[in-house]
Amino acid sequence: MGEDVHVLRFLSGKYKGDEFPLLPEQDGYVVGRSSEVDLVLADDAVSRKHARFFFECGRTWVRDLNSRNGTQVNGAARKRHCLREGDRIAIGSSLLTVALVKASDAAGLRRGGEKSNRVAPRGEDSGSRSMSGSLEDIPLVDVLQWLGTSRKTGTLNVKRTDQARIGKIYLRDGYAFYASIEGSIVGLDPEKAMMRMLAWAKGTFSLDNTVIEEVPKEIRTSLEHVLMESARQQDEIQHLSERQKLPAYGAEIRLVTPSPLRWRDLDPTHLDMVQDIAEKRGWAYILDSYPADDLSLYRTIVDLRRKGLVEYD
């Protein structure tokens, strides 16, 4: 019993903190809505026999059993996946992570007590309680994909702890139709707000049942496109930051005087940004008010700095 075994840990929702060990002494474990499976998840988004965890060639695997909504692993639908420590698995409205523990400790979990593996007794609704969690444990992209699969309606509150900023994403049957960030200097475009929140790596999230009917502007782009575009932009911004210094959200941008070139030689976007900097409107105002995405704006400010027109800390 000295070897490590995989344990499924519920990260969010009604069963947050509960654990289910996968011991090789059993051939496999079927997860689903049926009362006859090994791990019961009483959830309409879960098929009667949804997925199976099994052992093969000394490894632990998960296989989707042709479920209606699929099995998500690390944000992507997978038919078959070899488990690794830290994997994030979404089955219906349940979010789990994979941990490695000593087999002797895992056997203790199966005996019950304070760390019982009872995660879904018959007749209980796994989606009846508001869910919450940490962005360090579950990236926002996984949360949104999970909510989309579960067709949730409500308000997802996202708090960025390192900057004390709070954002909200409003959902209707799993569709994210509006987003906002508190404290924005001007009315931030909702799609831009959601893409910015997707870049937040530190913070917390929670879903409540608050529903709004009217918003200034609905997000028309599909969630899949927003998630892919956000990932692309985050990657490009990261590469840019490795080569050039980027200003923080609340940074002060200063004009260099005398100017090394005539402003009339600038293109319209550069000229608008120079004017706003001259009028002391700041980088936060530019990021929030300009229609261009954050990546384009970072490229512009870096270009102005390279030309010797501006400076920032």
Side-chain angles (χ1 to χ4, degrees), residues 175-186:
Y175 170 64
F177 67 93
Y178 188 69
S180 63
I181 298 177
E182 294 181 3
S184 297
I185 296 175
V186 295

Side-chain angles (χ1 to χ4, degrees), residues 81-116:
H81 175 78
C82 180
L83 296 189
R84 298 175 179 83
E85 186 175 18
D87 281 345
R88 301 179 303 278
I89 301 174
I91 299 177
S93 60
S94 294
L95 277 175
L96 311 94
T97 190
V98 177
L100 276 177
V101 302
K102 295 294 183 183
S104 56
D105 295 335
L109 293 178
R110 291 184 61 79
R111 288 194 294 269
E114 290 186 356
K115 294 184 178 180
S116 171

Side-chain angles (χ1 to χ4, degrees), residues 53-83:
F53 293 89
F54 63 98
F55 309 97
E56 187 175 278
C57 300
R59 297 184 177 183
T60 307
W61 300 75
V62 61
R63 179 167 64 89
D64 185 76
L65 300 177
N66 296 318
S67 63
R68 182 176 72 254
N69 291 316
T71 300
Q72 302 282 327
V73 181
N74 300 325
R78 301 296 297 269
K79 288 294 185 182
R80 178 183 169 105
H81 175 78
C82 180
L83 296 189

Side-chain angles (χ1 to χ4, degrees), residues 144-145 148 174-176 194 198 221-228:
L144 287 172
Q145 288 179 327
Y175 170 64
M194 185 162 70
L198 284 165
T221 310
S222 69
L223 178 60
E224 290 75 14
H225 177 79
V226 172
L227 295 180
M228 288 190 296

